[in-house]
Amino acid sequence: MTDIIPAWEYPSGMYGLMEMDVKKMKIQTNDYPVLVSKKLITLIEHELRNYETADDLGVLLHFRDPDYSAHCGGYHPVTICVSTQGRIQWIADFSFMGSSLTIELEFHFEDRLCKQMGAQYPIHTGARLFKVWQSNFCDYYQSGVFQTTIERL
């Protein structure tokens, strides 16, 4: 079972982590197959600022627009997977297809793949798409449209 913790409610030392060997998660900035902007790294680190790792396998950061729906639209939900070593493993952008929420766009850094609407490409082929996506995502985040939760793996 995983714990889903809203980032704004996560106090330091929750679940007795102060008693364990804990450390703040620092996001790695190099050796990605596409250019990850400092803005995106900073955004992720900001969300993890009060999060302390112990024996986690990593975390999922869920960014949700509470007003997003199939009927009204809004900002796509996004999930970012970060390993316990602070490496971004993958990013998924979701959208409604009819009434079902599905993954529309994925960037798999570890597998070096870009997936869009079921098609799969080498990630370097989607480098320009990733650049646009991350710029837009960071702008949306800064405008305050997302509520963020952190899920332990």
PDB file of all heavy atoms in Angstrom, residues 23-49:
ATOM      1  N   LYS A  23      17.185  11.732   4.424  1.00  0.00           N
ATOM      2  CA  LYS A  23      17.906  12.759   3.678  1.00  0.00           C
ATOM      3  C   LYS A  23      16.915  13.483   2.792  1.00  0.00           C
ATOM      4  O   LYS A  23      15.870  12.951   2.445  1.00  0.00           O
ATOM      5  CB  LYS A  23      19.012  12.139   2.829  1.00  0.00           C
ATOM      6  CG  LYS A  23      18.489  11.152   1.794  1.00  0.00           C
ATOM      7  CD  LYS A  23      19.591  10.506   1.029  1.00  0.00           C
ATOM      8  CE  LYS A  23      18.954   9.477   0.083  1.00  0.00           C
ATOM      9  NZ  LYS A  23      19.874   8.686  -0.624  1.00  0.00           N
ATOM     10  N   LYS A  24      17.205  14.713   2.466  1.00  0.00           N
ATOM     11  CA  LYS A  24      16.388  15.474   1.531  1.00  0.00           C
ATOM     12  C   LYS A  24      16.722  14.990   0.131  1.00  0.00           C
ATOM     13  O   LYS A  24      17.869  14.717  -0.193  1.00  0.00           O
ATOM     14  CB  LYS A  24      16.680  16.968   1.640  1.00  0.00           C
ATOM     15  CG  LYS A  24      16.371  17.562   2.985  1.00  0.00           C
ATOM     16  CD  LYS A  24      14.901  17.709   3.167  1.00  0.00           C
ATOM     17  CE  LYS A  24      14.640  18.443   4.466  1.00  0.00           C
ATOM     18  NZ  LYS A  24      13.265  18.544   4.796  1.00  0.00           N
ATOM     19  N   MET A  25      15.705  14.882  -0.695  1.00  0.00           N
ATOM     20  CA  MET A  25      15.922  14.415  -2.060  1.00  0.00           C
ATOM     21  C   MET A  25      16.414  15.576  -2.932  1.00  0.00           C
ATOM     22  O   MET A  25      15.777  16.612  -3.002  1.00  0.00           O
ATOM     23  CB  MET A  25      14.650  13.817  -2.641  1.00  0.00           C
ATOM     24  CG  MET A  25      14.886  13.134  -3.980  1.00  0.00           C
ATOM     25  SD  MET A  25      13.413  12.342  -4.643  1.00  0.00           S
ATOM     26  CE  MET A  25      13.261  10.923  -3.585  1.00  0.00           C
ATOM     27  N   LYS A  26      17.534  15.403  -3.568  1.00  0.00           N
ATOM     28  CA  LYS A  26      18.114  16.384  -4.486  1.00  0.00           C
ATOM     29  C   LYS A  26      17.990  15.793  -5.888  1.00  0.00           C
ATOM     30  O   LYS A  26      18.400  14.660  -6.130  1.00  0.00           O
ATOM     31  CB  LYS A  26      19.585  16.623  -4.125  1.00  0.00           C
ATOM     32  CG  LYS A  26      20.275  17.617  -4.985  1.00  0.00           C
ATOM     33  CD  LYS A  26      20.043  19.007  -4.464  1.00  0.00           C
ATOM     34  CE  LYS A  26      20.906  19.980  -5.242  1.00  0.00           C
ATOM     35  NZ  LYS A  26      20.220  21.184  -5.587  1.00  0.00           N
ATOM     36  N   ILE A  27      17.440  16.563  -6.813  1.00  0.00           N
ATOM     37  CA  ILE A  27      17.228  16.070  -8.167  1.00  0.00           C
ATOM     38  C   ILE A  27      18.524  16.161  -8.967  1.00  0.00           C
ATOM     39  O   ILE A  27      19.196  17.196  -8.975  1.00  0.00           O
ATOM     40  CB  ILE A  27      16.112  16.874  -8.872  1.00  0.00           C
ATOM     41  CG1 ILE A  27      14.806  16.792  -8.076  1.00  0.00           C
ATOM     42  CG2 ILE A  27      15.904  16.396 -10.308  1.00  0.00           C
ATOM     43  CD1 ILE A  27      14.303  15.384  -7.837  1.00  0.00           C
ATOM     44  N   GLN A  28      18.874  15.060  -9.613  1.00  0.00           N
ATOM     45  CA  GLN A  28      20.059  15.012 -10.475  1.00  0.00           C
ATOM     46  C   GLN A  28      19.828  15.910 -11.691  1.00  0.00           C
ATOM     47  O   GLN A  28      18.723  15.977 -12.206  1.00  0.00           O
ATOM     48  CB  GLN A  28      20.339  13.587 -10.924  1.00  0.00           C
ATOM     49  CG  GLN A  28      20.595  12.620  -9.795  1.00  0.00           C
ATOM     50  CD  GLN A  28      21.817  12.999  -8.994  1.00  0.00           C
ATOM     51  OE1 GLN A  28      22.878  13.279  -9.539  1.00  0.00           O
ATOM     52  NE2 GLN A  28      21.670  13.047  -7.685  1.00  0.00           N
ATOM     53  N   THR A  29      20.869  16.566 -12.142  1.00  0.00           N
ATOM     54  CA  THR A  29      20.706  17.536 -13.232  1.00  0.00           C
ATOM     55  C   THR A  29      21.420  17.147 -14.521  1.00  0.00           C
ATOM     56  O   THR A  29      21.326  17.863 -15.509  1.00  0.00           O
ATOM     57  CB  THR A  29      21.224  18.919 -12.794  1.00  0.00           C
ATOM     58  OG1 THR A  29      22.608  18.802 -12.441  1.00  0.00           O
ATOM     59  CG2 THR A  29      20.434  19.457 -11.619  1.00  0.00           C
ATOM     60  N   ASN A  30      22.119  16.026 -14.526  1.00  0.00           N
ATOM     61  CA  ASN A  30      22.893  15.685 -15.727  1.00  0.00           C
ATOM     62  C   ASN A  30      22.569  14.277 -16.222  1.00  0.00           C
ATOM     63  O   ASN A  30      21.904  13.506 -15.556  1.00  0.00           O
ATOM     64  CB  ASN A  30      24.395  15.825 -15.459  1.00  0.00           C
ATOM     65  CG  ASN A  30      24.837  15.003 -14.267  1.00  0.00           C
ATOM     66  OD1 ASN A  30      24.043  14.372 -13.599  1.00  0.00           O
ATOM     67  ND2 ASN A  30      26.124  15.017 -14.003  1.00  0.00           N
ATOM     68  N   ASP A  31      23.069  14.000 -17.398  1.00  0.00           N
ATOM     69  CA  ASP A  31      22.969  12.674 -18.020  1.00  0.00           C
ATOM     70  C   ASP A  31      21.543  12.247 -18.360  1.00  0.00           C
ATOM     71  O   ASP A  31      21.224  11.067 -18.313  1.00  0.00           O
ATOM     72  CB  ASP A  31      23.636  11.597 -17.151  1.00  0.00           C
ATOM     73  CG  ASP A  31      25.127  11.812 -17.014  1.00  0.00           C
ATOM     74  OD1 ASP A  31      25.735  12.315 -17.981  1.00  0.00           O
ATOM     75  OD2 ASP A  31      25.680  11.489 -15.956  1.00  0.00           O
ATOM     76  N   TYR A  32      20.704  13.204 -18.722  1.00  0.00           N
ATOM     77  CA  TYR A  32      19.379  12.863 -19.247  1.00  0.00           C
ATOM     78  C   TYR A  32      19.463  12.824 -20.766  1.00  0.00           C
ATOM     79  O   TYR A  32      20.270  13.532 -21.365  1.00  0.00           O
ATOM     80  CB  TYR A  32      18.331  13.891 -18.804  1.00  0.00           C
ATOM     81  CG  TYR A  32      18.002  13.810 -17.328  1.00  0.00           C
ATOM     82  CD1 TYR A  32      18.379  14.820 -16.458  1.00  0.00           C
ATOM     83  CD2 TYR A  32      17.319  12.722 -16.815  1.00  0.00           C
ATOM     84  CE1 TYR A  32      18.084  14.743 -15.109  1.00  0.00           C
ATOM     85  CE2 TYR A  32      17.022  12.637 -15.466  1.00  0.00           C
ATOM     86  CZ  TYR A  32      17.411  13.654 -14.616  1.00  0.00           C
ATOM     87  OH  TYR A  32      17.116  13.572 -13.279  1.00  0.00           O
ATOM     88  N   PRO A  33      18.636  12.023 -21.414  1.00  0.00           N
ATOM     89  CA  PRO A  33      18.698  11.915 -22.877  1.00  0.00           C
ATOM     90  C   PRO A  33      18.142  13.142 -23.610  1.00  0.00           C
ATOM     91  O   PRO A  33      18.324  13.270 -24.806  1.00  0.00           O
ATOM     92  CB  PRO A  33      17.866  10.667 -23.183  1.00  0.00           C
ATOM     93  CG  PRO A  33      16.943  10.523 -22.027  1.00  0.00           C
ATOM     94  CD  PRO A  33      17.685  11.071 -20.839  1.00  0.00           C
ATOM     95  N   VAL A  34      17.454  14.019 -22.899  1.00  0.00           N
ATOM     96  CA  VAL A  34      17.001  15.306 -23.434  1.00  0.00           C
ATOM     97  C   VAL A  34      17.341  16.371 -22.398  1.00  0.00           C
ATOM     98  O   VAL A  34      17.590  16.055 -21.228  1.00  0.00           O
ATOM     99  CB  VAL A  34      15.478  15.319 -23.732  1.00  0.00           C
ATOM    100  CG1 VAL A  34      15.131  14.410 -24.890  1.00  0.00           C
ATOM    101  CG2 VAL A  34      14.668  14.969 -22.507  1.00  0.00           C
ATOM    102  N   LEU A  35      17.336  17.621 -22.816  1.00  0.00           N
ATOM    103  CA  LEU A  35      17.678  18.714 -21.911  1.00  0.00           C
ATOM    104  C   LEU A  35      16.528  18.973 -20.942  1.00  0.00           C
ATOM    105  O   LEU A  35      15.416  19.311 -21.355  1.00  0.00           O
ATOM    106  CB  LEU A  35      17.988  19.981 -22.703  1.00  0.00           C
ATOM    107  CG  LEU A  35      18.383  21.200 -21.877  1.00  0.00           C
ATOM    108  CD1 LEU A  35      19.671  20.926 -21.101  1.00  0.00           C
ATOM    109  CD2 LEU A  35      18.559  22.405 -22.776  1.00  0.00           C
ATOM    110  N   VAL A  36      16.793  18.778 -19.659  1.00  0.00           N
ATOM    111  CA  VAL A  36      15.817  19.070 -18.612  1.00  0.00           C
ATOM    112  C   VAL A  36      16.168  20.449 -18.069  1.00  0.00           C
ATOM    113  O   VAL A  36      17.284  20.676 -17.615  1.00  0.00           O
ATOM    114  CB  VAL A  36      15.846  18.003 -17.499  1.00  0.00           C
ATOM    115  CG1 VAL A  36      14.872  18.360 -16.392  1.00  0.00           C
ATOM    116  CG2 VAL A  36      15.535  16.627 -18.071  1.00  0.00           C
ATOM    117  N   SER A  37      15.200  21.358 -18.115  1.00  0.00           N
ATOM    118  CA  SER A  37      15.472  22.745 -17.746  1.00  0.00           C
ATOM    119  C   SER A  37      15.682  22.898 -16.239  1.00  0.00           C
ATOM    120  O   SER A  37      15.147  22.125 -15.425  1.00  0.00           O
ATOM    121  CB  SER A  37      14.311  23.641 -18.185  1.00  0.00           C
ATOM    122  OG  SER A  37      13.165  23.398 -17.399  1.00  0.00           O
ATOM    123  N   LYS A  38      16.450  23.911 -15.900  1.00  0.00           N
ATOM    124  CA  LYS A  38      16.658  24.248 -14.488  1.00  0.00           C
ATOM    125  C   LYS A  38      15.323  24.602 -13.838  1.00  0.00           C
ATOM    126  O   LYS A  38      15.088  24.289 -12.671  1.00  0.00           O
ATOM    127  CB  LYS A  38      17.642  25.402 -14.361  1.00  0.00           C
ATOM    128  CG  LYS A  38      17.928  25.796 -12.937  1.00  0.00           C
ATOM    129  CD  LYS A  38      19.168  26.634 -12.824  1.00  0.00           C
ATOM    130  CE  LYS A  38      19.473  27.061 -11.406  1.00  0.00           C
ATOM    131  NZ  LYS A  38      19.501  26.018 -10.419  1.00  0.00           N
ATOM    132  N   LYS A  39      14.428  25.188 -14.605  1.00  0.00           N
ATOM    133  CA  LYS A  39      13.101  25.556 -14.107  1.00  0.00           C
ATOM    134  C   LYS A  39      12.323  24.313 -13.660  1.00  0.00           C
ATOM    135  O   LYS A  39      11.696  24.318 -12.602  1.00  0.00           O
ATOM    136  CB  LYS A  39      12.348  26.298 -15.212  1.00  0.00           C
ATOM    137  CG  LYS A  39      11.228  27.153 -14.765  1.00  0.00           C
ATOM    138  CD  LYS A  39      10.721  27.972 -15.965  1.00  0.00           C
ATOM    139  CE  LYS A  39       9.681  28.962 -15.562  1.00  0.00           C
ATOM    140  NZ  LYS A  39       9.172  29.733 -16.685  1.00  0.00           N
ATOM    141  N   LEU A  40      12.373  23.240 -14.453  1.00  0.00           N
ATOM    142  CA  LEU A  40      11.676  22.004 -14.089  1.00  0.00           C
ATOM    143  C   LEU A  40      12.338  21.346 -12.879  1.00  0.00           C
ATOM    144  O   LEU A  40      11.649  20.886 -11.964  1.00  0.00           O
ATOM    145  CB  LEU A  40      11.627  21.030 -15.265  1.00  0.00           C
ATOM    146  CG  LEU A  40      10.870  19.721 -15.018  1.00  0.00           C
ATOM    147  CD1 LEU A  40       9.419  19.981 -14.616  1.00  0.00           C
ATOM    148  CD2 LEU A  40      10.923  18.832 -16.254  1.00  0.00           C
ATOM    149  N   ILE A  41      13.655  21.318 -12.852  1.00  0.00           N
ATOM    150  CA  ILE A  41      14.386  20.752 -11.700  1.00  0.00           C
ATOM    151  C   ILE A  41      14.013  21.509 -10.431  1.00  0.00           C
ATOM    152  O   ILE A  41      13.708  20.909  -9.403  1.00  0.00           O
ATOM    153  CB  ILE A  41      15.915  20.808 -11.935  1.00  0.00           C
ATOM    154  CG1 ILE A  41      16.332  19.965 -13.130  1.00  0.00           C
ATOM    155  CG2 ILE A  41      16.681  20.429 -10.667  1.00  0.00           C
ATOM    156  CD1 ILE A  41      16.208  18.489 -12.963  1.00  0.00           C
ATOM    157  N   THR A  42      14.018  22.831 -10.507  1.00  0.00           N
ATOM    158  CA  THR A  42      13.694  23.673  -9.350  1.00  0.00           C
ATOM    159  C   THR A  42      12.269  23.440  -8.882  1.00  0.00           C
ATOM    160  O   THR A  42      12.001  23.356  -7.677  1.00  0.00           O
ATOM    161  CB  THR A  42      13.916  25.161  -9.700  1.00  0.00           C
ATOM    162  OG1 THR A  42      15.275  25.339 -10.087  1.00  0.00           O
ATOM    163  CG2 THR A  42      13.603  26.065  -8.526  1.00  0.00           C
ATOM    164  N   LEU A  43      11.344  23.310  -9.823  1.00  0.00           N
ATOM    165  CA  LEU A  43       9.938  23.052  -9.512  1.00  0.00           C
ATOM    166  C   LEU A  43       9.795  21.735  -8.736  1.00  0.00           C
ATOM    167  O   LEU A  43       9.119  21.676  -7.710  1.00  0.00           O
ATOM    168  CB  LEU A  43       9.173  23.006 -10.833  1.00  0.00           C
ATOM    169  CG  LEU A  43       7.709  22.687 -10.908  1.00  0.00           C
ATOM    170  CD1 LEU A  43       7.169  23.209 -12.226  1.00  0.00           C
ATOM    171  CD2 LEU A  43       7.421  21.218 -10.800  1.00  0.00           C
ATOM    172  N   ILE A  44      10.451  20.681  -9.208  1.00  0.00           N
ATOM    173  CA  ILE A  44      10.377  19.376  -8.542  1.00  0.00           C
ATOM    174  C   ILE A  44      11.003  19.457  -7.154  1.00  0.00           C
ATOM    175  O   ILE A  44      10.436  18.968  -6.171  1.00  0.00           O
ATOM    176  CB  ILE A  44      11.047  18.281  -9.397  1.00  0.00           C
ATOM    177  CG1 ILE A  44      10.270  18.077 -10.695  1.00  0.00           C
ATOM    178  CG2 ILE A  44      11.153  16.970  -8.617  1.00  0.00           C
ATOM    179  CD1 ILE A  44      10.995  17.224 -11.724  1.00  0.00           C
ATOM    180  N   GLU A  45      12.165  20.086  -7.057  1.00  0.00           N
ATOM    181  CA  GLU A  45      12.813  20.225  -5.753  1.00  0.00           C
ATOM    182  C   GLU A  45      11.952  21.048  -4.796  1.00  0.00           C
ATOM    183  O   GLU A  45      11.906  20.763  -3.596  1.00  0.00           O
ATOM    184  CB  GLU A  45      14.200  20.833  -5.900  1.00  0.00           C
ATOM    185  CG  GLU A  45      15.196  19.856  -6.481  1.00  0.00           C
ATOM    186  CD  GLU A  45      16.583  20.421  -6.660  1.00  0.00           C
ATOM    187  OE1 GLU A  45      16.748  21.673  -6.672  1.00  0.00           O
ATOM    188  OE2 GLU A  45      17.518  19.619  -6.803  1.00  0.00           O
ATOM    189  N   HIS A  46      11.266  22.048  -5.311  1.00  0.00           N
ATOM    190  CA  HIS A  46      10.369  22.852  -4.474  1.00  0.00           C
ATOM    191  C   HIS A  46       9.263  21.975  -3.879  1.00  0.00           C
ATOM    192  O   HIS A  46       8.959  22.077  -2.691  1.00  0.00           O
ATOM    193  CB  HIS A  46       9.760  23.996  -5.295  1.00  0.00           C
ATOM    194  CG  HIS A  46       8.740  24.778  -4.545  1.00  0.00           C
ATOM    195  ND1 HIS A  46       9.071  25.704  -3.586  1.00  0.00           N
ATOM    196  CD2 HIS A  46       7.391  24.752  -4.595  1.00  0.00           C
ATOM    197  CE1 HIS A  46       7.959  26.213  -3.070  1.00  0.00           C
ATOM    198  NE2 HIS A  46       6.925  25.652  -3.675  1.00  0.00           N
ATOM    199  N   GLU A  47       8.684  21.115  -4.698  1.00  0.00           N
ATOM    200  CA  GLU A  47       7.622  20.237  -4.202  1.00  0.00           C
ATOM    201  C   GLU A  47       8.154  19.223  -3.189  1.00  0.00           C
ATOM    202  O   GLU A  47       7.435  18.808  -2.296  1.00  0.00           O
ATOM    203  CB  GLU A  47       6.931  19.512  -5.356  1.00  0.00           C
ATOM    204  CG  GLU A  47       6.003  20.394  -6.138  1.00  0.00           C
ATOM    205  CD  GLU A  47       4.871  20.986  -5.309  1.00  0.00           C
ATOM    206  OE1 GLU A  47       4.393  20.343  -4.350  1.00  0.00           O
ATOM    207  OE2 GLU A  47       4.456  22.113  -5.624  1.00  0.00           O
ATOM    208  N   LEU A  48       9.410  18.843  -3.324  1.00  0.00           N
ATOM    209  CA  LEU A  48      10.005  17.859  -2.421  1.00  0.00           C
ATOM    210  C   LEU A  48      10.726  18.496  -1.237  1.00  0.00           C
ATOM    211  O   LEU A  48      11.355  17.795  -0.448  1.00  0.00           O
ATOM    212  CB  LEU A  48      10.986  16.967  -3.201  1.00  0.00           C
ATOM    213  CG  LEU A  48      10.356  16.064  -4.252  1.00  0.00           C
ATOM    214  CD1 LEU A  48      11.435  15.386  -5.086  1.00  0.00           C
ATOM    215  CD2 LEU A  48       9.438  15.040  -3.610  1.00  0.00           C
ATOM    216  N   ARG A  49      10.616  19.800  -1.076  1.00  0.00           N
ATOM    217  CA  ARG A  49      11.391  20.530  -0.067  1.00  0.00           C
ATOM    218  C   ARG A  49      11.160  20.027   1.356  1.00  0.00           C
ATOM    219  O   ARG A  49      12.062  20.051   2.172  1.00  0.00           O
ATOM    220  CB  ARG A  49      11.121  22.018  -0.151  1.00  0.00           C
ATOM    221  CG  ARG A  49       9.740  22.438   0.300  1.00  0.00           C
ATOM    222  CD  ARG A  49       9.403  23.873  -0.083  1.00  0.00           C
ATOM    223  NE  ARG A  49       8.045  24.226   0.278  1.00  0.00           N
ATOM    224  CZ  ARG A  49       6.955  23.883  -0.397  1.00  0.00           C
ATOM    225  NH1 ARG A  49       7.066  23.132  -1.477  1.00  0.00           N
ATOM    226  NH2 ARG A  49       5.760  24.253   0.004  1.00  0.00           N
TER     227      ARG A  49
END
